[in-house]
Amino acid sequence: MNLPSEKRLPLRESVRVFFATSSRVLWVLLAAITLFFTLIIYPNLSVTKFSYNVGDIAEKNIKAPRDFFIQDDAATESSRKLAIRSVLPVYDHNTEMVVRQVAHVRSAFSTFRTVLTQPPVPPPPQPALDRGLESSLAATPLDEVWLRKQEFEDKMGIEVSRGAFQVLETHLFSKTIENLICRIYAEIVTNGVVANKALLLRQGDRGITLRTLDGKEESIAKNLKAYYGLEQAQTMVRIVADPLFKQEAVDVDYTALNLIVDFAQRMLRPNITVNGSETEIRARRFAEEVKPVLFKVKVGEMILREGERVTELQLVKLRELQIQTQNRHIFSRSIGAAMITAFFILIAFLVHFHPRNEGIEDRNKNMFFLATVLITFLLVAKVSLSVPGVIGATVEFDIQETSVYFGMPVAAGAMTVCLFMGLDAALFFSIVFAALVTLVFSNQFTLFIYIFLSSSMAAFWLKNCRERKVFIKAGAKLGLFNVALAAGVMAYANDVSVEICLWSAFFAFTGGLASGIVTAGIAPLLEMLFDYTTDIKLLELANLDQPILRRLMIEAPGTYNHSVIVGTLADAVASEIGANPLLARVCGYYHDIGKIEKAQYFIENQTDGKNRHDKLAPSMSALILTGHVKSGIEIARQYRLGQTIMDTIQQHHGTSLIEFFYEKAKAQKEDSEETVNADNFRYPGPKPQTVEAAIVMISDVLEAATRALDNPTPARIQGLVQNLINKIFVSGQLDYSEITLKDLHNMAKRFNVVLSGINHHRIKYPEKSGNGQRAKNGDSNRQSSGEAYGSSGRDTGERDSHLKRLGIT
């Protein structure tokens, strides 16, 4: 039967609801593409599976449907071992060691020669009576030389004895000594010094691969005996030094010659060292490059005959036939995957934006939002292609196209995504967006680097945005960052003229600042269009002068006071466990706005001492209590508070049982055979899906329970907190909120501190006010929160067990 026309949704609304709530919107497209390619490759999909073992009887003839190859594992392994043995060991040759050490030696000798040639440093002026001591106080160059002996040792890289240093001082750090040390050292090390020559000589005539440390140059060295071992090199010092002494050491005594030899020997270090990791990498690469040794099975060849026993060789052929058939299908599917790459944006969204607690509507909304931002800024990039031409036609300056592209405010896309969906989503968006823009700009790699890094930093600087001025600050920071980034990009592209750099810096800074301004301009529009709740909106909602909060204060003052305290508790606890304290506080303010509709049915708003639930059936009372959740959602939607707050309103009681009226209903049915259905006395749920919603639930329960607690001392508050948190945890209300036991432990400690501060004892004034008696009323609403999870009247043993369970005693 068709519905009446007036009850049907308009076509436009039906389309909106379908795209917002259907989980098949995006999957249908993927399924259609998959089916299309499945139909194309259908003839190759049938794979024959064989389950024979050696010795089984073949049930039918099996022929090779096509030519295929079988790998000979033994021959292949032998070839790989041969390839590994053919790899020459790699040795690193430190060619810079000689230059560096010689420079240090010359610097040391030059410095100390200069010190010895300096005139004595006069002492500071002395009084007239002490002037006779001036000559004795003057600092001589010789004193300074000995004071700086450690500096000489540091530059030489060796320890110098006092006797050796005395010899150098006597010879005034002779240039001849310096030259001889450098020449002897350079000749030995230039030839090559190895740490373990015996290991080197094991290579025999094969040789080694000798490469520089930077890996840019390498050669094959076969004359391995020519290199010195470390001890051999020290022996060669004397051999190399003797002819040099005869030629150049005329003015140097025998002691200095011995010092030269000693210095040269102790300065020697191996400059040719084996690189085991590089050798292993090359051996592994050579082994991997060895092609498998195969033998061919031709099409039509009988692999197995009916009635035969299956042999090992036949089984190998069967298995290889099956594997290669599967490989053909993998190849076919790879072609399909390559073609579906055109839809990588959609697939990436499905893979990345699918949190465990996210509903279908939120997921669809998030992907539509990302697609909108992506398309918008791709259009901005496309329009930017024509900007250089327009600028060139209107100004007389010659401005390079790349410089103009730096001025694109495309980083605003990542900033917008970060504002609404967080830093992780923004970084992912930056990669996809940079890749697509690069395609628009003819695969310019430098532009990809610039856009990706700029967008990533823009998102990073906007991740904690709570004020409008943060947009401008982030834009200014981004502008400065873009200037440095543009300089690097231009240097990489070898465009480093002063004019180009100045124009690039100008446009880069302008682009960064414009990105912040553009984000500030479009953020409110997108916030309204996609109904997102940002920290900026939360700060606006946290203002207690909001119309709905003022209405709550006037129509339900008790609930208003309760909500403010719940918000305060939630804020403090959220900060303790790393949740969003601002979101928790705002959700606490608004979680009970549904009580406005029937304010007098909640005990905190009853001022006449009468409880309206006394005249109602328990089922009706439970219906009124649970109804405030639905009313709260409707009011939140009316005041456009945002989906996040609406979710918390819906979840802040979870599926908890209203025990007071449930027990009351059971008591009324004791004399009859009827049973009471507990589901009729539960809140509709769902259970809290986020940490903040769970915090609001616990804060709501604890605030209500401590308000009704007689003599709320810190010890009693602590026991009540532990008892109620355990009851909530055991009842399964926190199953979907991702709160850990450690979080509950920290929350309990913070609740104890805050609640003890709120309920602290005050000094009793001497005046009497009233009879001091507290009104005893059935707190129907407080029971739904506090007594639902426990009572302060529990025995001590049960309370202690709860305290031990959360780690607090």
Side-chain angles (χ1 to χ4, degrees):
M1 179 177 179
N2 294 331
L3 293 173
S5 58
E6 63 272 15
K7 294 185 179 180
R8 294 178 182 174
L9 290 174
L11 178 60
R12 180 181 300 178
E13 182 65 14
S14 300
V15 172
R16 189 198 68 79
V17 171
F18 174 79
F19 280 103
T21 60
S22 176
S23 61
R24 300 187 298 271
V25 170
L26 301 175
W27 292 109
V28 166
L29 181 59
L30 293 177
I33 297 172
T34 303
L35 178 62
F36 176 73
F37 284 101
T38 302
L39 293 175
I40 292 177
I41 62 174
Y42 177 76
N44 297 324
L45 286 179
S46 57
V47 180
T48 303
K49 294 185 178 180
F50 309 103
S51 58
Y52 291 117
N53 294 316
V54 175
D56 291 346
I57 304 300
E59 298 176 355
K60 60 180 179 180
N61 294 335
I62 299 177
K63 293 183 178 181
R66 62 180 63 85
D67 292 345
F68 66 95
F69 293 89
I70 297 178
Q71 179 175 321
D72 188 339
D73 293 332
T76 302
E77 185 63 24
S78 177
S79 298
R80 286 175 179 167
K81 290 181 179 179
L82 186 61
I84 292 174
R85 287 196 296 270
S86 67
V87 176
L88 298 179
V90 179
Y91 278 73
D92 291 332
H93 187 192
N94 188 349
T95 57
E96 300 295 327
M97 181 182 291
V98 175
V99 178
R100 185 169 58 252
Q101 184 62 33
V102 168
H104 289 167
V105 172
R106 294 196 181 280
S107 174
F109 274 82
S110 175
T111 300
F112 280 76
R113 278 198 302 270
T114 303
V115 172
L116 287 174
T117 58
Q118 291 177 350
V121 179
Q126 300 291 331
L129 295 175
D130 298 332
R131 286 178 183 172
L133 300 176
E134 285 189 8
S135 59
S136 62
L137 295 176
T140 66
L142 188 59
D143 295 333
E144 185 176 355
V145 165
W146 282 95
L147 289 174
R148 297 174 62 179
K149 177 175 177 290
Q150 183 62 43
E151 178 183 347
F152 181 84
E153 293 178 344
D154 293 340
K155 290 188 176 183
M156 295 292 293
I158 59 174
E159 292 184 4
V160 180
S161 65
R162 292 185 61 85
F165 199 76
Q166 180 68 44
V167 173
L168 292 175
E169 175 200 341
T170 303
H171 288 78
L172 302 178
F173 293 87
S174 169
K175 185 71 174 180
T176 302
I177 296 177
E178 172 191 332
N179 290 336
L180 288 172
I181 292 174
C182 292
R183 290 186 61 182
I184 295 170
Y185 175 85
E187 184 171 342
I188 299 295
V189 177
T190 302
N191 180 78
V193 180
V194 297
N196 190 339
K197 189 172 182 179
L199 178 64
L200 178 69
L201 293 177
R202 290 179 188 175
Q203 304 306 319
D205 298 330
R206 295 178 66 234
I208 61 173
T209 299
L210 197 63
R211 71 170 195 173
T212 57
L213 287 179
D214 57 9
K216 294 181 179 180
E217 298 179 9
E218 68 178 49
S219 59
I220 305 298
K222 292 191 174 182
N223 185 14
L224 305 182
K225 294 182 180 180
Y227 301 117
Y228 301 137
L230 188 56
E231 294 180 0
Q232 183 183 6
Q234 292 173 346
T235 303
M236 288 298 298
V237 169
R238 178 69 68 177
I239 297 173
V240 173
D242 285 341
L244 294 177
F245 289 167
K246 295 176 182 179
Q247 297 173 11
E248 300 181 17
V250 180
D251 57 339
V252 181
D253 58 24
Y254 182 78
T255 304
L257 296 179
N258 286 334
L259 180 143
I260 293 170
V261 172
D262 178 66
F263 274 29
Q265 288 177 338
R266 291 197 292 129
M267 286 164 50
L268 289 175
R269 301 286 186 275
N271 68 331
I272 298 178
T273 55
V274 64
N275 190 331
S277 61
E278 179 64 21
T279 304
E280 184 179 349
I281 290 172
R282 296 190 180 193
R284 190 184 305 117
R285 185 172 69 245
F286 273 54
E288 291 172 352
E289 290 175 355
V290 172
K291 295 183 178 179
V293 178
L294 307 173
F295 66 90
K296 185 176 183 180
V297 176
K298 293 187 176 181
V299 59
E301 180 178 336
M302 186 66 71
I303 298 176
L304 197 62
R305 293 183 184 276
E306 182 179 356
E308 280 187 346
R309 288 187 178 275
V310 180
T311 64
E312 182 67 32
L313 179 60
Q314 290 172 329
L315 191 60
V316 170
K317 291 181 179 180
L318 286 175
R319 290 174 179 171
E320 191 64 25
L321 174 63
Q322 183 172 338
I323 291 173
Q324 293 203 15
T325 304
Q326 290 176 342
N327 288 339
R328 283 177 173 267
H329 298 154
I330 292 173
F331 178 73
S332 300
R333 286 193 290 269
S334 297
I335 295 176
M339 299 180 68
I340 297 175
T341 302
F343 300 95
F344 78 95
I345 300 175
L346 177 62
I347 298 173
F349 288 171
L350 292 174
V351 171
H352 188 77
F353 301 104
H354 194 266
R356 178 168 55 184
N357 295 332
E358 187 181 54
I360 294 174
E361 185 170 352
D362 289 335
R363 186 185 61 192
N364 290 358
K365 180 180 73 173
N366 288 340
M367 285 187 285
F368 280 122
F369 164 76
L370 288 168
T372 300
V373 176
L374 186 64
I375 293 172
T376 300
F377 286 95
L378 282 176
L379 290 174
V380 171
K382 185 69 175 179
V383 171
S384 299
L385 280 173
S386 59
V387 173
V390 175
I391 293 178
T394 55
V395 300
E396 299 179 358
F397 307 103
D398 186 16
I399 302 176
Q400 198 176 47
E401 288 185 356
T402 306
S403 300
V404 179
Y405 294 153
F406 292 151
M408 296 185 299
V410 290
M415 297 173 79
T416 304
V417 174
C418 180
L419 182 66
F420 294 110
M421 302 187 66
L423 182 60
D424 291 342
L427 294 177
F428 180 82
F429 175 88
S430 299
I431 297 175
V432 176
F433 179 72
L436 294 180
V437 173
T438 303
L439 295 177
V440 174
F441 285 83
S442 303
N443 301 326
Q444 296 185 35
F445 176 74
T446 54
L447 204 58
F448 170 83
I449 294 297
Y450 177 83
I451 294 176
F452 170 65
L453 295 180
S454 178
S455 298
S456 300
M457 289 306 300
F460 174 79
W461 278 317
L462 206 70
K463 64 178 181 178
N464 294 320
C465 179
R466 292 189 175 183
E467 296 177 291
R468 302 290 179 185
K469 63 182 180 182
V470 175
F471 292 109
I472 307 303
K473 289 183 177 179
K477 292 179 183 179
L478 181 62
L480 296 175
F481 174 80
N482 284 352
V483 170
L485 184 58
V489 169
M490 299 306 292
Y492 175 82
N494 293 323
D495 293 327
V496 290
S497 68
V498 175
E499 184 179 1
I500 292 176
C501 288
L502 290 176
W503 280 115
S504 297
F506 170 78
F507 283 106
F509 182 82
T510 303
L513 191 59
S515 295
I517 296 173
V518 169
T519 306
I522 66 173
L525 178 62
L526 293 174
E527 191 175 40
M528 291 187 296
L529 184 62
F530 290 95
D531 195 25
Y532 279 118
T533 303
T534 63
D535 284 350
I536 296 175
K537 183 176 180 179
L538 289 176
L539 282 172
E540 295 173 352
L541 294 175
N543 186 349
L544 297 180
D545 282 336
Q546 289 289 330
I548 183 59
L549 292 180
R550 292 189 63 83
R551 182 182 168 192
L552 184 67
M553 179 177 61
I554 295 172
E555 300 181 22
T559 300
Y560 173 82
N561 182 59
H562 161 73
S563 298
V564 171
I565 297 176
V566 168
T568 303
L569 287 172
D571 189 327
V573 172
S575 301
E576 187 71 18
I577 64 172
N580 187 338
L582 178 60
L583 176 60
R585 172 156 54 94
V586 174
C587 289
Y589 287 168
Y590 293 90
H591 77 285
D592 270 346
I593 57 175
K595 292 182 179 180
I596 292 177
E597 300 294 335
K598 293 182 174 62
Q600 294 304 313
Y601 284 88
F602 298 91
I603 191 64
E604 68 267 24
N605 300 314
Q606 296 175 3
T607 58
D608 54 2
K610 296 180 180 179
N611 191 339
R612 285 164 173 73
H613 290 279
D614 294 341
K615 298 180 180 180
L616 297 178
S619 58
M620 180 58 67
S621 296
L623 189 62
I624 293 174
L625 292 183
T626 58
H628 87 275
V629 174
K630 182 179 180 181
S631 299
I633 295 173
E634 294 174 353
I635 294 173
R637 184 177 291 110
Q638 175 185 351
Y639 283 87
R640 302 181 65 86
L641 299 183
Q643 188 61 43
T644 305
I645 296 177
M646 291 170 60
D647 290 341
T648 304
I649 292 173
Q650 187 178 19
Q651 299 165 13
H652 80 277
H653 280 299
T655 58
S656 59
L657 179 68
I658 307 176
E659 290 188 5
F660 179 83
F661 292 112
Y662 175 63
E663 296 296 335
K664 184 177 179 180
K666 287 201 303 183
Q668 293 178 357
K669 300 292 184 179
E670 285 181 353
D671 297 333
S672 63
E673 297 180 356
E674 297 182 22
T675 58
V676 179
N677 187 356
D679 291 339
N680 295 332
F681 292 85
R682 290 187 181 276
Y683 285 95
K687 297 177 181 179
Q689 306 291 302
T690 64
V691 175
E692 289 77 15
I695 290 173
V696 172
M697 165 187 271
I698 299 174
S699 301
D700 182 33
V701 171
L702 293 179
E703 197 283 331
T706 53
R707 184 183 293 268
L709 187 64
D710 292 330
N711 189 22
T713 63
R716 300 193 69 186
I717 289 175
Q718 178 178 333
L720 181 64
V721 167
Q722 304 304 322
N723 186 25
L724 294 183
I725 291 180
N726 273 285
K727 293 288 287 184
I728 295 173
F729 173 70
V730 171
S731 67
Q733 298 300 316
L734 307 179
D735 289 351
Y736 305 107
S737 61
E738 299 183 357
I739 287 184
T740 65
L741 289 175
K742 180 180 179 181
D743 292 336
L744 290 177
H745 175 77
N746 294 332
M747 289 167 61
K749 291 194 294 185
R750 178 56 60 184
F751 275 126
N752 290 334
V753 173
V754 179
L755 288 172
S756 296
I758 294 175
N759 297 278
H760 68 281
H761 287 283
R762 298 180 181 273
I763 298 174
K764 179 181 264 187
Y765 290 95
E767 297 84 24
K768 293 184 179 180
S769 58
N771 56 11
Q773 298 295 324
R774 295 182 58 186
K776 295 185 179 179
N777 233 351
D779 190 346
S780 56
N781 183 47
R782 288 293 174 258
Q783 187 280 333
S784 68
S785 301
E787 294 186 9
Y789 299 107
S791 171
S792 59
R794 300 282 184 179
D795 64 351
T796 305
E798 181 179 352
R799 182 184 308 162
D800 290 343
S801 66
H802 287 317
L803 297 180
K804 292 178 181 178
R805 187 171 182 275
L806 281 181
I808 297 179
T809 59

